[in-house]
Amino acid sequence: MTLTGFVRSFSEKYEAERGAKRVSGVVGLANDIEVRLPSSEERPDPEIAREAVSAIKSQLPYTFEHITPVVKNGWVTLEGEVEWNFQRDLAERAVRRLKGLRGVTNLIHIQPRIAPSEVKRKIEEAFRRSAALEAGDHGRWWMGLGGILSIVAGVLLGIMPLLGAIVLTWWLGIYAMALGLTLLVLAYRLRSQRHTDHLHDATPHAA
């Protein structure tokens, strides 16, 4: 399917594309709709660039500095690197409805700060440390669970980065609480054992 014609804003062009994608049976789409701005809507590129930076900052206050909007003849090209795909999508969504916009090209690259293999390695190391603290079958159970969850997290991060990030965040939070409770229990046991040993040493032994 090919969309042609003229609209008065980029947001209208985008909504036309969204509507076409919802039509049953559409497997391919070319959006050749031309944006013809009214003279009252036209704005200089530097002004659009300033508003683009402000809009991205409002959506991504902690990563906006890694994204650069380049504006030429009303067309915004987003450049830079972010850690997650949802950040890339948010940046594009932020500038999509700017006044005077003719089009958007999203060239933002996804560059995780830690490679998925490194995340998996760190998680496995954390479970090994936990297993070392817990002897016997209980420790082996934790290692098995860690292996399963590591595989699930890796698959989700590869297939669905946004959902994977949410699940990984929940998982790390739950694991941190479980590990914290385990350490508290072990600390209490060690303290009790030391107290028992101290009493034993202080007891006089028969000659």
Side-chain angles (χ1 to χ4, degrees):
M1 176 184 289
T2 300
L3 301 179
T4 59
F6 307 96
V7 291
R8 296 167 63 87
S9 68
F10 177 74
S11 61
E12 292 180 10
K13 176 180 178 178
Y14 176 74
E15 291 301 328
E17 180 178 321
R18 286 188 62 192
K21 288 179 178 178
R22 289 194 293 265
V23 176
S24 177
V26 174
V27 294
L29 181 66
N31 192 347
D32 293 334
I33 296 176
E34 182 180 345
V35 177
R36 292 184 177 179
L37 297 173
S39 57
S40 60
E41 296 289 324
E42 293 183 354
R43 303 170 67 196
D45 289 344
E47 189 174 326
I48 297 175
R50 285 194 296 270
E51 284 205 10
V53 171
S54 179
I56 295 171
K57 183 178 180 180
S58 67
Q59 294 294 320
L60 299 167
Y62 302 109
T63 56
F64 77 96
E65 294 179 345
H66 301 288
I67 301 171
T68 303
V70 180
V71 185
K72 184 176 181 181
N73 298 325
W75 195 287
V76 176
T77 300
L78 299 176
E79 301 176 350
E81 292 183 351
V82 293
E83 188 174 1
W84 302 104
N85 188 64
F86 81 90
Q87 295 170 322
R88 183 179 188 272
D89 292 340
L90 274 179
E92 180 176 339
R93 192 183 308 169
V95 302
R96 198 176 286 152
R97 296 186 180 278
L98 292 179
K99 182 179 178 181
L101 185 68
R102 294 182 182 275
V104 179
T105 300
N106 194 341
L107 300 181
I108 298 174
H109 296 286
I110 307 299
Q111 184 62 46
R113 294 181 184 177
I114 303 178
S117 58
E118 182 67 11
V119 173
K120 181 177 180 294
R121 185 184 67 81
K122 288 182 178 293
I123 293 173
E124 288 175 345
E125 287 180 354
F127 274 106
R128 289 194 190 101
R129 288 194 296 269
S130 176
L133 293 173
E134 293 287 341
D137 294 337
H138 188 61
R140 289 193 291 272
W141 184 87
W142 272 102
M143 288 189 68
L145 178 61
I148 294 172
L149 293 178
S150 295
I151 294 172
V152 173
V155 171
L156 286 175
L157 285 171
I159 299 177
M160 295 175 287
L162 177 56
L163 179 58
I166 295 173
V167 172
L168 184 60
T169 300
W170 288 348
W171 175 26
L172 290 176
I174 294 171
Y175 174 76
M177 289 188 291
L179 181 59
L181 290 173
T182 301
L183 292 175
L184 286 174
V185 171
L186 289 173
Y188 177 78
R189 289 179 180 176
L190 287 173
R191 182 176 180 276
S192 299
Q193 183 63 40
R194 288 179 180 177
H195 180 66
T196 302
D197 293 343
H198 177 72
L199 291 177
H200 176 74
D201 293 339
T203 302
H205 297 281

